[in-house]
Coordinates of all heavy atoms in Angstrom, one line a residue:
C91 N -9.8 -3.7 13.2 CA -9.6 -3.0 14.4 C -9.8 -1.5 14.4 O -9.8 -0.9 15.4 CB -8.2 -3.3 14.9 SG -7.9 -5.1 15.4
S92 N -10.0 -1.0 13.2 CA -10.1 0.5 13.1 C -11.6 0.9 13.5 O -12.4 0.0 13.7 CB -9.9 0.9 11.6 OG -11.0 0.6 10.8
G93 N -11.8 2.2 13.5 CA -13.1 2.7 13.7 C -14.1 2.6 12.6 O -15.3 2.8 12.7
A94 N -13.6 2.2 11.4 CA -14.4 2.1 10.2 C -15.4 1.0 10.4 O -15.1 -0.1 10.8 CB -13.6 1.9 8.9
S95 N -16.7 1.2 10.0 CA -17.7 0.2 10.1 C -17.9 -0.5 8.8 O -18.6 -1.5 8.7 CB -19.0 0.7 10.7 OG -19.5 1.8 9.9
V96 N -17.4 0.1 7.7 CA -17.5 -0.4 6.3 C -16.1 -0.6 5.8 O -15.3 0.2 5.9 CB -18.3 0.5 5.4 CG1 -18.4 -0.1 4.0 CG2 -19.8 0.7 5.9
I97 N -15.9 -1.8 5.2 CA -14.6 -2.1 4.6 C -14.9 -2.5 3.1 O -15.7 -3.3 2.8 CB -14.0 -3.3 5.3 CG1 -13.7 -2.9 6.8 CG2 -12.7 -3.8 4.6 CD1 -13.2 -4.1 7.6
F98 N -14.1 -1.8 2.2 CA -14.0 -2.1 0.8 C -12.8 -3.0 0.6 O -11.7 -2.6 0.9 CB -13.9 -0.9 0.0 CG -15.1 0.0 -0.2 CD1 -16.3 -0.3 0.4 CD2 -15.0 1.2 -1.0 CE1 -17.4 0.5 0.2 CE2 -16.1 2.0 -1.1 CZ -17.3 1.6 -0.5
L99 N -13.0 -4.2 0.2 CA -12.0 -5.1 -0.2 C -11.6 -4.9 -1.6 O -12.3 -5.2 -2.5 CB -12.4 -6.5 0.1 CG -11.3 -7.6 -0.1 CD1 -10.1 -7.4 0.7 CD2 -11.9 -9.0 0.2
I100 N -10.5 -4.2 -1.8 CA -10.1 -3.7 -3.2 C -9.4 -4.8 -4.0 O -9.7 -5.0 -5.1 CB -9.2 -2.5 -3.1 CG1 -9.9 -1.3 -2.3 CG2 -8.8 -2.0 -4.5 CD1 -11.2 -0.9 -2.9
H101 N -8.5 -5.5 -3.3 CA -7.8 -6.6 -4.0 C -7.9 -7.9 -3.2 O -7.8 -7.9 -2.0 CB -6.3 -6.3 -4.1 CG -6.0 -5.2 -5.0 ND1 -6.0 -5.3 -6.4 CD2 -5.7 -3.9 -4.8 CE1 -5.7 -4.2 -7.0 NE2 -5.5 -3.3 -6.0
A102 N -8.2 -9.0 -3.9 CA -8.2 -10.3 -3.3 C -8.1 -11.3 -4.4 O -8.1 -11.0 -5.6 CB -9.5 -10.5 -2.5
D103 N -8.1 -12.6 -4.0 CA -8.0 -13.6 -5.1 C -8.9 -14.8 -4.7 O -9.4 -14.8 -3.5 CB -6.6 -14.0 -5.4 CG -5.9 -14.7 -4.2 OD1 -6.5 -15.6 -3.6 OD2 -4.8 -14.3 -3.9
I104 N -9.1 -15.7 -5.6 CA -10.0 -16.8 -5.3 C -9.6 -17.6 -4.1 O -10.5 -18.3 -3.5 CB -10.1 -17.7 -6.6 CG1 -11.2 -18.6 -6.6 CG2 -8.7 -18.4 -6.9 CD1 -11.6 -19.3 -7.9
F105 N -8.3 -17.6 -3.7 CA -7.9 -18.4 -2.6 C -8.1 -17.7 -1.2 O -8.3 -18.4 -0.2 CB -6.4 -18.7 -2.7 CG -6.1 -19.7 -3.9 CD1 -5.5 -19.2 -5.0 CD2 -6.5 -21.0 -3.8 CE1 -5.3 -20.0 -6.1 CE2 -6.2 -21.8 -4.9 CZ -5.6 -21.3 -6.0
N106 N -8.2 -16.4 -1.2 CA -8.3 -15.8 0.1 C -9.7 -15.0 0.3 O -10.0 -14.6 1.4 CB -7.2 -14.8 0.4 CG -7.1 -13.6 -0.6 OD1 -8.0 -13.3 -1.3 ND2 -6.0 -12.9 -0.5
L107 N -10.4 -14.9 -0.7 CA -11.6 -14.1 -0.7 C -12.7 -14.5 0.3 O -13.1 -13.7 1.1 CB -12.3 -14.1 -2.1 CG -13.5 -13.2 -2.4 CD1 -13.2 -11.8 -2.1 CD2 -14.0 -13.4 -3.8
K108 N -13.0 -15.7 0.3 CA -14.1 -16.2 1.3 C -13.6 -16.0 2.7 O -14.4 -15.6 3.6 CB -14.4 -17.7 1.0 CG -15.5 -18.2 2.0 CD -16.7 -18.6 1.3 CE -17.7 -19.2 2.3 NZ -18.6 -18.3 3.0
D109 N -12.4 -16.4 3.0 CA -11.9 -16.3 4.4 C -11.9 -14.8 4.8 O -12.3 -14.5 6.0 CB -10.4 -16.8 4.5 CG -10.4 -18.4 4.4 OD1 -11.5 -19.0 4.6 OD2 -9.3 -18.9 4.1
I110 N -11.5 -13.9 4.0 CA -11.5 -12.5 4.3 C -12.9 -12.0 4.6 O -13.1 -11.3 5.6 CB -10.7 -11.6 3.2 CG1 -9.3 -12.0 3.2 CG2 -10.9 -10.1 3.5 CD1 -8.5 -11.4 2.0
V111 N -13.8 -12.3 3.7 CA -15.2 -11.8 3.8 C -15.8 -12.4 5.1 O -16.4 -11.7 5.9 CB -16.0 -12.2 2.6 CG1 -17.5 -12.0 2.8 CG2 -15.6 -11.3 1.4
D112 N -15.6 -13.7 5.3 CA -16.1 -14.3 6.6 C -15.5 -13.6 7.8 O -16.2 -13.4 8.8 CB -15.8 -15.8 6.6 CG -16.6 -16.6 5.6 OD1 -17.6 -16.0 5.0 OD2 -16.3 -17.7 5.3
K113 N -14.2 -13.3 7.8 CA -13.6 -12.7 8.9 C -14.1 -11.3 9.2 O -14.4 -10.9 10.3 CB -12.1 -12.6 8.7 CG -11.2 -12.1 9.8 CD -9.8 -12.2 9.5 CE -8.9 -12.0 10.7 NZ -7.5 -12.2 10.4
V114 N -14.3 -10.5 8.2 CA -14.9 -9.2 8.3 C -16.3 -9.2 8.8 O -16.7 -8.5 9.8 CB -14.8 -8.4 7.0 CG1 -15.6 -7.0 7.1 CG2 -13.4 -8.1 6.6
K115 N -17.1 -10.1 8.3 CA -18.5 -10.2 8.7 C -18.6 -10.7 10.1 O -19.4 -10.2 10.9 CB -19.3 -11.1 7.7 CG -19.5 -10.5 6.4 CD -20.2 -11.3 5.4 CE -21.7 -11.2 5.6 NZ -22.5 -11.9 4.6
A116 N -17.7 -11.6 10.5 CA -17.7 -12.1 11.9 C -17.3 -11.0 12.9 O -17.7 -11.1 14.1 CB -16.7 -13.3 12.1
S117 N -16.6 -10.0 12.4 CA -16.3 -8.9 13.3 C -17.4 -7.9 13.5 O -17.3 -7.0 14.3 CB -15.0 -8.1 12.7 OG -15.4 -7.3 11.6
G118 N -18.5 -8.1 12.7 CA -19.6 -7.2 12.8 C -19.6 -6.1 11.9 O -20.5 -5.2 11.9
K119 N -18.6 -6.0 11.0 CA -18.4 -4.9 10.1 C -19.0 -5.3 8.7 O -19.3 -6.5 8.4 CB -16.9 -4.5 9.9 CG -16.4 -4.1 11.2 CD -15.2 -3.3 11.1 CE -14.7 -2.8 12.5 NZ -14.1 -1.6 12.6
T120 N -19.3 -4.3 7.9 CA -19.8 -4.5 6.6 C -18.7 -4.6 5.6 O -17.7 -3.8 5.6 CB -20.7 -3.3 6.3 OG1 -21.8 -3.2 7.3 CG2 -21.4 -3.5 4.9
V121 N -18.8 -5.5 4.6 CA -17.7 -5.7 3.6 C -18.3 -5.8 2.2 O -19.3 -6.4 1.9 CB -16.9 -7.0 3.9 CG1 -17.7 -8.2 3.8 CG2 -15.7 -7.1 3.0
L122 N -17.7 -5.0 1.3 CA -18.0 -5.0 -0.1 C -16.8 -5.3 -0.9 O -15.7 -4.9 -0.5 CB -18.5 -3.6 -0.5 CG -19.9 -3.2 0.0 CD1 -19.8 -2.4 1.3 CD2 -20.7 -2.5 -1.0
I123 N -17.0 -6.1 -1.9 CA -15.8 -6.5 -2.8 C -15.8 -5.7 -4.0 O -16.8 -5.6 -4.7 CB -16.0 -8.0 -3.1 CG1 -16.0 -8.9 -1.9 CG2 -14.9 -8.5 -4.0 CD1 -16.5 -10.3 -2.2
H124 N -14.6 -5.2 -4.4 CA -14.4 -4.5 -5.7 C -14.1 -5.6 -6.7 O -13.0 -6.2 -6.7 CB -13.3 -3.5 -5.6 CG -13.3 -2.6 -6.7 ND1 -13.4 -3.0 -8.1 CD2 -13.2 -1.2 -6.8 CE1 -13.4 -1.9 -8.8 NE2 -13.3 -0.8 -8.1
I125 N -15.1 -6.0 -7.4 CA -15.0 -7.2 -8.3 C -14.1 -7.0 -9.5 O -13.7 -8.0 -10.1 CB -16.4 -7.8 -8.7 CG1 -17.2 -6.8 -9.5 CG2 -17.1 -8.2 -7.5 CD1 -18.5 -7.3 -10.1
D126 N -13.8 -5.7 -9.8 CA -13.0 -5.5 -11.0 C -11.5 -6.0 -10.8 O -10.8 -6.2 -11.7 CB -12.9 -4.0 -11.4 CG -14.3 -3.4 -11.8 OD1 -15.3 -4.2 -11.8 OD2 -14.3 -2.2 -12.0
F127 N -11.1 -6.0 -9.5 CA -9.7 -6.4 -9.2 C -9.6 -7.8 -8.6 O -8.5 -8.1 -8.2 CB -9.1 -5.4 -8.2 CG -9.1 -4.0 -8.7 CD1 -9.7 -2.9 -8.1 CD2 -8.5 -3.7 -9.9 CE1 -9.7 -1.6 -8.6 CE2 -8.4 -2.4 -10.4 CZ -9.0 -1.4 -9.7
L128 N -10.6 -8.6 -8.7 CA -10.5 -10.0 -8.2 C -9.6 -10.8 -9.1 O -9.8 -10.7 -10.3 CB -11.8 -10.6 -8.0 CG -12.7 -10.2 -6.9 CD1 -14.0 -10.9 -6.9 CD2 -12.0 -10.4 -5.6
E129 N -8.7 -11.6 -8.5 CA -7.9 -12.5 -9.3 C -8.4 -13.9 -9.2 O -8.8 -14.3 -8.2 CB -6.5 -12.4 -8.8 CG -5.8 -11.1 -9.0 CD -4.4 -11.1 -8.5 OE1 -3.6 -12.0 -8.8 OE2 -4.0 -10.1 -7.9
G130 N -8.5 -14.6 -10.4 CA -8.8 -16.0 -10.4 C -10.3 -16.2 -10.7 O -10.7 -17.4 -10.8
L131 N -11.1 -15.2 -10.8 CA -12.5 -15.3 -11.2 C -12.7 -14.5 -12.5 O -12.1 -13.5 -12.7 CB -13.4 -14.7 -10.1 CG -13.6 -15.5 -8.8 CD1 -14.4 -14.7 -7.8 CD2 -14.2 -16.8 -9.1

């Protein structure tokens, strides 16, 4: 909902990652995942 057009997903896990990325992309915003902090992969 913010004015930011790019979102860095800093923390996520194997259970919520795909849903979050899909949700951000569906909003028309750009999403990048910080892979160093992913849990479960």
Side-chain angles (χ1 to χ4, degrees):
C91 293
S92 77
S95 56
V96 176
I97 296 173
F98 284 0
L99 185 57
I100 306 299
H101 292 282
D103 64 51
I104 195 168
F105 294 107
N106 63 14
L107 184 60
K108 177 115 176 87
D109 290 340
I110 293 170
V111 168
D112 289 348
K113 186 175 192 176
V114 172
K115 289 178 86 172
S117 77
K119 299 201 179 212
T120 302
V121 61
L122 291 96
I123 300 169
H124 196 311
I125 63 173
D126 298 358
F127 298 124
L128 285 179
E129 294 181 44
L131 286 175

